[in-house]
Amino acid sequence: MKHPSNKLAEAALYVIARKGWGQITLEDVAVKAKISLKMLKSKNDLLPVIVDYMDKKMLANTSVSTGGSLHDRLFEILMARFDAFQEHRKAMLSIFRSIPKDPRAVCAVMPCIRISAAQVIDHCRISGCKTAHTLALFGIMAATTRAFAKDDSADLGKTMAALDQHILRAEKIGLFKEAG
């Protein structure tokens, strides 16, 4: 049996892929998820559910490795996130295009980004200032998301190249250090 939040996220992503973020209604999502409309207060309440769903997929598709470089671990986990996005590409691109235009949506998603970044930091065993790492990861993800939006290839080659480049830039200026 699916976790209720996964069921809601999948229903929301299905509806968003068909109608676009700007056109969905809470009723559309509630009907698809087979839940009471009373459980949903705002469209923006779907964003944390979707981010959590993507985090679960990202973490499920990566291994906690004691070997390999920090760069490789960062690349693996962040690329797993883009692979999760790819499964729901149309919906995710609609969300990515819409959120910056809606201050309430930005406010709804920002705490989720902090939690996601903390999971990446812990998973990759990065030491140092979590605030700086969170901001660096946000920058890497935002910049790589622009490449993802333009990458129509099945293997996400352009996305991988952009991700690698952005991680290298962060490493060059000393943003990431291996936990001792």
Side-chain angles (χ1 to χ4, degrees):
M1 184 172 168
K2 285 185 185 176
H3 189 277
S5 65
N6 290 352
K7 183 176 157 184
L8 179 57
E10 289 171 358
L13 289 163
Y14 177 88
V15 174
I16 295 164
R18 275 134 192 87
K19 292 188 167 192
W21 176 257
Q23 303 305 312
I24 68 164
T25 66
L26 292 177
E27 184 176 2
D28 295 331
V29 176
V31 166
K32 180 66 181 165
K34 298 178 182 159
I35 62 170
S36 168
L37 184 57
K38 293 175 185 176
M39 292 180 67
L40 303 173
K41 294 180 181 122
S42 158
K43 222 168 48 165
N44 291 333
D45 291 340
L46 297 172
L47 294 170
V49 173
I50 292 169
V51 171
D52 182 61
Y53 177 75
M54 292 295 163
D55 283 348
K56 288 175 188 170
K57 290 180 87 55
M58 172 187 71
L59 292 169
N61 291 319
T62 57
S63 60
V64 178
S65 169
T66 55
S69 68
L70 176 56
H71 178 96
D72 291 345
R73 292 193 309 273
L74 271 170
F75 183 87
E76 177 188 6
I77 194 167
L78 295 177
M79 199 59 218
R81 178 174 224 81
F82 285 105
D83 289 338
F85 290 168
Q86 182 73 350
E87 290 179 42
H88 301 281
R89 184 177 184 81
K90 191 171 181 184
M92 294 309 296
L93 290 177
S94 179
I95 293 168
F96 295 151
R97 289 183 190 113
S98 300
I99 286 179
K101 300 172 191 168
D102 181 355
R104 288 185 180 153
V106 171
C107 290
V109 83
M110 288 310 289
C112 305
I113 291 170
R114 184 188 54 75
I115 292 166
S116 291
Q119 290 176 341
V120 170
I121 291 163
D122 291 343
H123 180 86
C124 293
R125 299 178 322 276
I126 301 170
S127 65
C129 177
K130 283 200 177 191
T131 301
H133 295 140
T134 298
L135 292 171
L137 288 169
F138 178 76
I140 289 168
M141 288 300 295
T144 307
T145 298
R146 287 192 294 276
F148 172 79
K150 296 175 188 174
D151 189 351
D152 294 329
S153 66
D155 68 354
L156 294 179
K158 293 176 186 174
T159 302
M160 287 191 280
L163 178 58
D164 189 56
Q165 177 185 37
H166 296 305
I167 293 170
L168 284 171
R169 283 185 187 158
E171 289 173 330
K172 279 184 182 176
I173 60 173
L175 283 175
F176 297 118
K177 291 191 176 27
E178 195 82 46

